[in-house]
Amino acid sequence: MSEKNDDLKKVVNQALAEQKVPHVKLDKMKPSTVDIDKLTKPSKETHQEYWGKGLTFLAIILIILLVVSIIGFVGEHGLATFFSDHVNIIHFLTSTNWDPTQGENHVGALAMIVTSFLVTLISALIAAPFAIAVALFMTEYSSKRSAKFLQSVTELLVGIPSVVYGFLGLTIIVPTIRNVFGGTGFGILAATLVLFVMVLPTITSLTVDALKAVPTELRNSSAALGATRWQTIYHVILRASTSRILTAIIFGMARAFGEALAVQMVIGNAVLMPYNLVSPSATLTSQLTSQMGNTVMGTLPNNALWSLALLLLLMSLLFNFLVHLIGKKGKK
Amino acid sequence: MHAKRNDKIATVFIYIFVAIVICILAGILGEILITGLPHLSWHFLSSSASSFQAGGGVRDQLFNSVYLLILTIAISLPIALGAAIYLSEYAKDNWITNTIRTSIEILSSLPSIVVGLFGYLLFVIQFNLGFSIISGALALTFFNLPILTSNIEQALEGVPQSQREAGQALGLSNWKTIRGIVLPAALPGILTGIVLSAGRVFGEAAALIYTAGQSGSTIDYSNWNAFSPTSFLNVMRPAETLAVHIWKVNTEGIIPDATIVSAATSALLVIVVIIFNFGARALGNMLYRKLTASNTK
Amino acid sequence: MDDLKKEPTYIKTFSSDELALSTKNLSVLYGGTIQKLFNVSLGFKKNAITALIGASGSGKSTFLRSLNRMNDKVATVKGNIIFHGLDVNKPNINVYELRKNIGMVFQKPNPFPKSIRENITYTLKADGQKDKQKLDQIVEESLRAAALWDEVKDKLDKSALALSGGQQQRLCIARAIALKPEILLLDEPASALDPVSTAKLEDTLKQLRSRYTMVMVTHNMQQASRISEYTAFFHLGHVLEYDVTSNVFTNPKGRITEKYIQGSFG
Ligand SMILES: Nc1ncnc2c1ncn2[C@@H]1O[C@H](COP(=O)(O)OP(=O)(O)O)[C@@H](O)[C@H]1O
Ligand SMILES: [Mg+2]
């Protein structure tokens, strides 16, 4: 013990001895005298801080105001159907009788609601397995380079304007359906296929993010246990990323549900309860798109359309809520 | 061995799915470019649209799209920048911040037709601006704000905390640190974000059909008086963009060459999107290299 | 906890005209409830280097960052910090002015992604200094003071990020000195540097000692004994010993200090 102490002392003393200041002429740099007064007074910086914080918060206020007024305006006009025009809300949600120019007993939106849900669900459900397969391919199977290439293509496809998808649907999908099934070719099937192509890149790129978030150790330890690649994918990777993949699918559904022009171009725009997939139909968005210009502000037909818009808005809030819910569950 | 067999089957299935998707993707891009490009001539780009005959171009639509894009970015950038700075630099972790973030998420998930209809209600009707470029630019701003804000916020968050501490420890205000040090460092990311969102704005139609309108007025490109009704700079005139044009000629179907016009316009839009997409990355990388230029000795 | 109460402690004190900066019962809480620093009362002697040592997580950085109010946003800091007779831990204090008088250098060199010259002039310009000649003069003097001038005088307009880690750290010192502070706070300034750069940095600090009061966190005992006159030992948010460096290292009062020092010199 004491021997060790002596050693230590030697080391320390030697170090201390080295402390003498090296012989250098110090330059002119030296502290300025402290101005105590300045320390308790606001300065230029204090004002900058007020300005900066104030200005940026103003931007935030603008955005919040915007969101509130969107919900407020759409809500006000959408609810006018029920409060000023006295349409029964049960009737609105359950009747398929849509002809608002005929008065309050002809404002049933069920056909459009059902069609909206149908095209959304079918397109997302078809797209999901494809998206997951492509995402798995990109993260688990392919080389880095081809994954990167696929990723850029996916991003590009997310960015293609929806009218372009609608136009392609109109020139490729609709004629094909017409040839195969007869009829006009317009309808739920055409809309679903267009939406499938549109949500596919959305779901794919979000699923890729989900799969990438799975820690590599999980993969390695599973592989080390002798699992096949598919076993690792099925039991480890997909399980660990389930909630985020679900979120990806919901994002895809939200996009499909809210898509207006591409759907409107291929669905045929007839407010009818869908009795098959290849007859003309209408979604909430397609009806809004094609009719809003044909009605007069403040009249029942116009308010009824705003009720459809309100329904769309509420659905988008619901999708948002679901994403949060799943996100919270996934964290536990 | 079940496991081995399942693994094989799964692999085959995944490859089949991927092959199908690649065929679809290639088909889409190929179809657009192959049918569109041949018609994408200088004549097409430089002549005005025809209302019922074949052979019209998209000169005005192209100009309107660019003009709307510029106005939209000009209006939304300061707001998005402010909001992003607040969120990444000032916001504390509390319920107010959560409310703000939720609001922005809601805005970003609203269908663009709803945003457009709101713009219609507020600007076209309430403020009596009519179908006009300014109404359209404001609607596009609403559509653009959330995505631009979060793009910029991400770019700001990519700047290391140590840079902010350096500024603060030197007695700079947060604001000065942000403006002088954080923002320049985040510039590559911010520009990438702007260009990416510009691609979205350029192709948007649903938010425009009831705000900027579905038809154009006569435009005089030599009239620089922005208050004259015929001036190309006038923001009060109705303006149809490229994306709206595609929708319009297909749903109205008056011009006989609607398919050709749409194909060419689609190709034009897709090319612009491609340029924006790759341009954004290239620009970001270039600026990044310039900023961190550690001229190797 | 009880162990700590029984532990003999020694806290050196100075007469008030010897002091550059002192704290009284400084406590720091993170998240409003998690206390990581307990009633630390230390005085720092003018124109001397004081080393803060202790295991990682013992609160050295927490303490140091409180001194120039860098913890304002992340933590609650209670107690007094006396600077020129003024309690600078009060809300009415202009923290920006305070930080100009109490400079700070961090563990990882953090020069701005600007040129070497701009790294120094940026804050001066923000302060209103516009005279080009004056700026050039300050650039040269502060780089000389940080013993960096000879190495960079030909590339003042090159990016600071092209410098080596050690040069960057000395640039950070020059940048702080350019504001003419009285006190420099250094948080493990050499821990990211190689031995040669470390030696150069230590030389620089020794040269600066006659004019600046420096408080330096270090986990390197040799370094503390090489350059510091006083040393404070932190343990779990408490200061157990504060004395002349040789006393702390060769004649510690408490067993925890002794064990730590022997362990670290190893
Ligand atoms: N920003 C922070 N939030 C919460 N806890 C922190 C924060 N910074 C430091 N701590 C905690 O305070 C204690 C002291 O940390 P620190 O002062 O960094 O120690 P040292 O510098 O001595 O290594 C540690 O337990 C650390 O986890
Ligand atoms: Mg530390």
Side-chain angles (χ1 to χ4, degrees):
Chain A
M1 190 73 196
S2 78
E3 202 179 295
K4 199 173 175 200
N5 256 346
D6 285 348
D7 276 355
L8 178 59
K9 267 188 191 146
K10 237 199 269 164
V11 173
V12 171
N13 284 331
Q14 195 192 334
L16 287 169
E18 279 171 20
Q19 273 207 15
K20 57 179 180 352
V21 183
H23 210 71
V24 239
K25 191 181 83 225
L26 244 189
D27 305 277
K28 291 168 209 126
M29 226 45 208
K30 63 171 184 220
S32 58
T33 38
V34 177
D35 186 347
I36 303 288
D37 261 5
K38 272 188 165 176
L39 282 178
T40 50
K41 288 214 183 80
S43 62
K44 194 167 63 188
E45 287 84 4
T46 325
H47 300 302
Q48 282 173 356
E49 204 54 18
Y50 282 131
W51 270 105
K53 221 170 172 172
L55 272 179
T56 54
F57 195 65
L58 197 70
I60 293 283
I61 299 275
L62 267 176
I63 292 183
I64 292 189
L65 219 78
L66 172 63
V67 174
V68 171
S69 43
I70 290 182
I71 295 176
F73 269 86
V74 175
E76 186 198 327
H77 284 256
L79 291 176
T81 316
F82 310 111
F83 292 111
S84 0
D85 298 322
H86 306 293
V87 172
N88 185 331
I89 192 158
I90 307 283
H91 163 75
F92 175 74
L93 291 174
T94 57
S95 161
T96 57
N97 180 351
W98 177 266
D99 192 1
T101 47
Q102 300 299 308
E104 70 205 48
N105 293 325
H106 304 265
V107 194
L110 186 65
M112 289 166 286
I113 297 175
V114 169
T115 310
S116 275
F117 274 98
L118 264 182
V119 294
T120 301
L121 284 174
I122 302 177
S123 61
L125 287 184
I126 308 176
F130 281 95
I132 294 171
V134 174
L136 280 173
F137 178 78
M138 283 163 70
T139 55
E140 314 297 327
Y141 285 83
S142 79
S143 67
K144 270 230 163 66
R145 267 184 58 197
S146 47
K148 212 163 177 190
F149 174 74
L150 272 177
Q151 175 121 17
S152 345
V153 177
T154 315
E155 276 165 22
L156 179 63
L157 287 170
V158 175
I160 289 187
S162 49
V163 281
V164 174
Y165 283 113
F167 166 65
L168 288 177
L170 205 55
T171 49
I172 302 174
I173 295 175
V174 171
T176 310
I177 293 176
R178 188 186 305 142
N179 290 339
V180 175
F181 296 98
T184 60
F186 292 96
I188 290 183
L189 183 60
T192 305
L193 289 177
V194 168
L195 287 176
F196 158 73
V197 176
M198 290 180 73
V199 298
L200 182 61
T202 309
I203 303 181
T204 305
S205 78
L206 289 170
T207 304
V208 168
D209 293 344
L211 296 180
K212 276 188 183 157
V214 178
T216 333
E217 301 96 70
L218 277 183
R219 291 190 178 96
N220 293 343
S221 58
S222 168
L225 289 172
T228 63
R229 175 144 61 180
W230 176 246
Q231 279 173 324
T232 304
I233 289 173
Y234 188 76
H235 294 288
V236 179
I237 297 174
L238 288 182
R239 199 132 307 171
S241 52
T242 310
S243 68
R244 286 191 61 176
I245 294 178
L246 270 181
T247 310
I249 297 174
I250 292 180
F251 267 112
M253 285 168 58
R255 183 170 185 199
F257 202 88
E259 177 50 47
L261 301 192
V263 172
Q264 190 260 356
M265 286 164 89
V266 299
I267 202 162
N269 299 304
V271 185
L272 296 169
M273 199 63 180
Y275 50 92
N276 65 38
L277 295 183
V278 291
S279 63
S281 193
T283 61
L284 296 168
T285 51
S286 74
Q287 186 64 12
L288 272 175
T289 309
S290 49
Q291 295 307 316
M292 191 51 103
N294 302 336
T295 57
V296 179
M297 250 320 152
T299 60
L300 174 61
N302 184 264
N303 285 342
L305 287 178
W306 283 107
S307 301
L308 302 184
L310 179 60
L311 215 53
L312 269 178
L313 191 142
L314 291 177
M315 275 310 292
S316 120
L317 292 183
L318 180 70
F319 283 127
N320 230 306
F321 176 73
L322 282 179
V323 166
H324 270 267
L325 203 70
I326 293 174
K328 258 190 202 143
K329 269 217 180 120
K331 265 191 200 128
K332 270 181 204 158
Chain B
M1 285 301 285
H2 270 312
K4 280 254 167 68
R5 204 192 60 204
N6 286 346
D7 188 52
K8 277 227 175 83
I9 295 175
T11 308
V12 169
F13 264 96
I14 286 181
Y15 275 80
I16 291 176
F17 273 61
V18 171
I20 295 174
V21 170
I22 289 180
C23 286
I24 296 174
L25 303 189
I28 291 173
L29 287 177
E31 168 76 18
I32 297 171
L33 296 177
I34 290 168
T35 58
L37 279 182
H39 304 288
L40 202 52
S41 60
W42 176 245
H43 170 80
F44 183 72
L45 293 179
S46 64
S47 57
S48 61
S50 118
S51 39
F52 48 86
Q53 290 164 324
V58 290
R59 180 191 66 198
D60 300 343
Q61 285 77 9
L62 181 57
F63 174 76
N64 288 339
S65 292
V66 174
Y67 194 30
L68 264 167
L69 174 64
I70 294 174
L71 285 178
T72 304
I73 301 277
I75 304 172
S76 50
L77 184 57
I79 304 175
L81 201 56
I85 290 177
Y86 183 86
L87 284 173
S88 91
E89 312 293 323
Y90 289 117
K92 302 203 178 78
D93 195 9
N94 56 21
W95 69 269
I96 301 178
T97 308
N98 284 339
T99 315
I100 297 170
R101 287 192 188 281
T102 311
S103 304
I104 294 179
E105 271 169 38
I106 289 176
L107 189 56
S108 79
S109 65
L110 283 182
S112 52
I113 183 78
V114 172
V115 175
L117 289 177
F118 169 72
Y120 172 61
L121 199 56
L122 191 65
F123 303 119
V124 178
I125 310 275
Q126 211 93 338
F127 293 172
N128 214 2
L129 295 173
F131 289 126
S132 61
I133 289 189
I134 188 68
S135 300
L138 288 168
L140 284 180
T141 296
F142 300 163
F143 164 83
N144 192 29
L145 268 180
I147 189 94
L148 188 56
T149 303
S150 68
N151 282 352
I152 297 179
E153 193 191 347
Q154 260 178 25
L156 290 175
E157 248 135 48
V159 178
Q161 192 59 27
S162 63
Q163 289 292 321
R164 297 180 178 87
E165 291 199 321
Q168 284 156 20
L170 289 165
L172 297 176
S173 61
N174 288 335
W175 182 238
K176 183 83 188 166
T177 310
I178 294 163
R179 267 186 31 204
I181 292 154
V182 179
L183 272 185
L187 201 61
I190 293 178
L191 281 179
T192 309
I194 293 174
V195 178
L196 282 179
S197 77
R200 253 170 52 106
V201 169
F202 199 79
E204 176 56 31
L208 286 178
I209 53 177
Y210 288 114
T211 51
Q214 306 165 25
S215 60
S217 53
T218 331
I219 311 174
D220 177 0
Y221 288 95
S222 57
N223 185 346
W224 286 79
N225 175 8
F227 296 99
S228 152
T230 56
S231 167
F232 66 108
L233 290 175
N234 188 344
V235 293
M236 299 306 292
R237 64 179 170 86
E240 184 195 35
T241 63
L242 289 173
V244 173
H245 191 56
I246 295 179
W247 177 74
K248 185 79 181 310
V249 298
N250 279 296
T251 44
E252 291 203 332
I254 296 179
I255 49 172
D257 58 346
T259 311
I260 290 175
V261 169
S262 315
T265 314
S266 295
L268 181 58
L269 276 179
V270 169
I271 290 171
V272 171
V273 169
I274 292 178
I275 293 175
F276 277 171
N277 253 317
F278 288 92
R281 243 146 282 241
L283 185 73
N285 287 341
M286 197 187 72
L287 275 170
Y288 182 80
R289 241 176 287 134
K290 224 177 186 173
L291 267 177
T292 56
S294 32
N295 3 24
T296 37
K297 285 160 254 172
Chain C
M1 217 71 254
D2 279 348
D3 272 3
L4 280 181
K5 289 232 171 79
K6 275 185 248 149
E7 182 79 9
T9 62
Y10 177 77
I11 308 288
K12 185 171 176 60
T13 52
F14 298 93
S15 74
S16 64
D17 56 336
E18 283 178 300
L19 285 174
L21 184 74
S22 63
T23 67
K24 232 165 74 192
N25 290 327
L26 204 69
S27 295
V28 177
L29 294 87
Y30 286 109
T33 49
I34 311 156
Q35 187 160 4
K36 291 293 185 183
L37 200 70
F38 301 85
N39 300 316
V40 173
S41 304
L42 290 180
F44 299 107
K45 190 166 170 275
K46 273 181 195 154
N47 299 355
I49 298 182
T50 304
L52 310 182
I53 61 169
S56 105
S58 57
K60 305 177 300 287
S61 300
T62 300
F63 174 74
L64 197 75
R65 291 167 54 88
S66 301
L67 296 180
N68 66 343
R69 300 277 296 267
M70 288 295 284
N71 268 344
D72 273 15
K73 272 203 215 137
V74 273
T76 324
V77 182
K78 294 182 191 160
N80 315 105
I81 302 168
I82 312 296
F83 180 60
H84 286 272
L86 195 67
D87 182 358
V88 294
N89 196 30
K90 286 270 156 56
N92 71 336
I93 291 297
N94 183 328
V95 294
Y96 314 107
E97 289 300 326
L98 179 70
R99 289 172 190 159
K100 288 176 199 164
N101 287 300
I102 306 183
M104 187 167 219
V105 175
F106 297 84
Q107 181 165 1
K108 250 186 79 198
N110 54 0
F112 300 136
K114 300 174 186 290
S115 72
I116 295 172
R117 185 198 306 278
E118 280 174 318
N119 259 277
I120 294 172
T121 56
Y122 187 71
T123 40
L124 300 170
K125 284 183 186 159
D127 234 12
Q129 178 65 261
K130 292 209 183 74
D131 184 347
K132 173 109 184 15
Q133 233 174 345
K134 192 94 210 285
L135 285 171
D136 283 346
Q137 190 188 340
I138 299 179
V139 168
E140 174 167 352
E141 282 170 6
S142 46
L143 283 172
R144 277 189 194 282
L148 189 60
W149 175 252
D150 292 332
E151 293 163 54
V152 301
K153 62 173 180 254
D154 298 325
K155 46 180 179 182
L156 288 178
D157 293 309
K158 294 269 162 65
S159 168
L161 300 180
L163 297 175
S164 74
Q167 291 172 323
Q168 288 187 6
Q169 197 62 303
R170 277 179 283 146
L171 177 61
C172 290
I173 292 179
R175 182 174 71 179
I177 286 177
L179 290 168
K180 314 202 168 179
E182 276 194 350
I183 300 174
L184 275 181
L185 307 174
L186 305 117
D187 194 347
E188 304 195 22
S191 69
L193 307 183
D194 60 85
V196 177
S197 307
T198 303
K200 272 198 169 160
L201 185 82
E202 286 178 11
D203 269 353
T204 306
L205 295 180
K206 281 193 229 170
Q207 290 175 32
L208 293 172
R209 183 165 57 184
S210 63
R211 293 209 170 148
Y212 298 91
T213 305
M214 285 181 272
V215 183
M216 179 175 76
V217 174
T218 177
H219 60 221
N220 180 333
M221 297 303 113
Q222 271 93 350
Q223 183 173 61
S225 53
R226 273 197 303 266
I227 63 175
S228 72
E229 283 144 87
Y230 304 95
T231 295
F233 172 62
F234 279 68
H235 180 71
L236 299 176
H238 297 264
V239 173
L240 296 187
E241 294 209 29
Y242 177 40
D243 202 351
V244 178
T245 298
S246 61
N247 278 351
V248 176
F249 282 177
T250 58
N251 197 10
K253 305 279 183 304
R255 275 199 36 244
I256 299 180
T257 317
E258 186 177 356
K259 253 167 98 185
Y260 177 73
I261 286 178
Q262 276 177 356
S264 315
F265 265 107

